[in-house]
Amino acid sequence: MMSLNTLSPTEIRVNSFLDTTKSSNHLFKLQGGLSVKRNDCKVSFKKGIQCSAAAAPPPPAWPGTALVDPGTKNWDGPKPISIIGSTGSIGTQTLDIVAENPDKFKVVALAAGSNVTLLAEQIKAFKPQLVSIKNESLVAELKEALAGADYMPEIIPGDEGVVEVARHPDCVTVVTGIVGCAGLKPTVAAIEAGKNIALANKETLIAGGPFVLPLAHKHNVKILPADSEHSAIFQCIQGFPEGSLRRIILTASGGAFRDWPVEKLKDVKVADALKHPNWSMGKKITVDSATLFNKGLEVIEAHYLYGSDYDNIDIVIHPQSIIHSMVETQDSSVLAQLGWPDMRLPILYTLSWPDRVPCSEITWPRLDLCKLGSLTFKAPDNVKYPSMELAYSAGRAGGTMTGVLSAANEKAVEMFIDEKISYLDIFKVVELTCQKHQDELVTAPSLEEIIHYDLWAREYAANLKLSGAAPVLV
């Protein structure tokens, strides 16, 4: 196992690459004598000196309210959708919804990775017009799996195929369910084609927000959040008068280690991190829940989706995962969205919005608060979860820093799952990668710059090795 001379969570907190103290004017502070290269300024900083980001923030997807455009179409028949990542967790749950509601939705295009067997089953069941699979070498295997079937779709492999699925002429909404910046290009293609986005790919906004949000406004495209927390916020702000939103409160289960003492974290094994107490999810997001990086990334996403300042986005630990998030209005009222921990509901709402689809009480059990008995809350532990302060710091730095944070975390989690680094090394890998990126921070990046620094962050994180007292690249 590769070691990074891991610091304790407390030491990581003290030595974080940015000072995470919340500031009312949203300046970012750099510790030590660091030189930051930006597209709008080139300044050397001494400790305690501040520089305000000159680049204007991108327009939020939903500026504190969610209003239905007067010309929004109500579908009389099944709404046509495309799914990117159809064999993953989000994709399969989306298809469960389609199967249960064939009068409401139909699939016109699917994009998948390398799970040929499952993709073939999906094709037989939903008969999409177009299918994409990750590698051209898998096309023959897919056709063989479909031999004897009464239907054969058009098959386009690779990146070209994913883009074509995203901008399929018949689809209205694209579900983006693949992890990482691999989802960025097809999302951009879908937006340019005027398709609404059912957003389950965090990198679209965390890395691509400065580019994607202006593009979505240009093409009058709606970005509809498909994760539980941001769907909760989205549902709560329906019809809000302008300027009503004061604060966003993101709830977090606390993940696998919410009841572990900090001292025990150095002994964490991969199997421990994959035991989520409430949700059934993929490995990466389950580890992110354990580190609370998922919540830190959601803070950044909330900033881009709803335009709230980082000072006005809070995190609270809610072990039962029944309240999926809350919003506070200017008059101090707090609105919350409640439900069983089931990803199908937020996915369904992105597909049906602004309508509500009646659901079976058998497959969608009603929430019974009396059966629950009580709901509890507590403040998150910044020592146990240094990820939060790293995320807030990256968010305030803005530009390419948020994408670097996300990419470094994704690579670190991959290395942890592969048992190449320890659990606590995840935080250190992300911190060191963000610290290095300060030299080349771009506040208003192009799509090419976003992708470039995503790839750079993954490579830098992967090549961190221990040499003497400090990690270096080899």
Side-chain angles (χ1 to χ4, degrees), residues 249-318:
I249 305 166
L250 295 168
T251 55
S253 68
F257 307 128
R258 67 189 181 201
D259 299 320
W260 285 39
V262 172
E263 296 75 19
K264 193 179 175 183
L265 295 180
K266 68 181 185 301
D267 302 320
V268 165
K269 305 300 182 187
V270 173
D272 299 323
L274 294 177
K275 295 176 183 176
H276 197 284
N278 301 337
W279 295 90
S280 176
M281 304 177 292
K283 288 185 178 181
K284 194 268 182 183
I285 185 61
T286 304
V287 174
D288 279 351
S289 296
T291 62
L292 229 65
F293 260 115
N294 71 320
K295 211 55 51 178
L297 294 172
E298 286 167 13
V299 166
I300 297 168
E301 205 172 357
H303 169 75
Y304 282 131
L305 276 169
Y306 306 112
S308 295
D309 291 334
Y310 287 100
D311 286 5
N312 296 321
I313 305 172
D314 292 335
I315 298 171
V316 62
I317 302 296
H318 169 49

Side-chain angles (χ1 to χ4, degrees), residues 83-86 88-91 94 174-180 183 187 198-201:
I83 303 174
I84 301 172
S86 68
S89 175
I90 295 296
T94 303
V174 180
V175 180
T176 60
I178 56 175
V179 176
T187 301
L199 183 67
N201 172 275

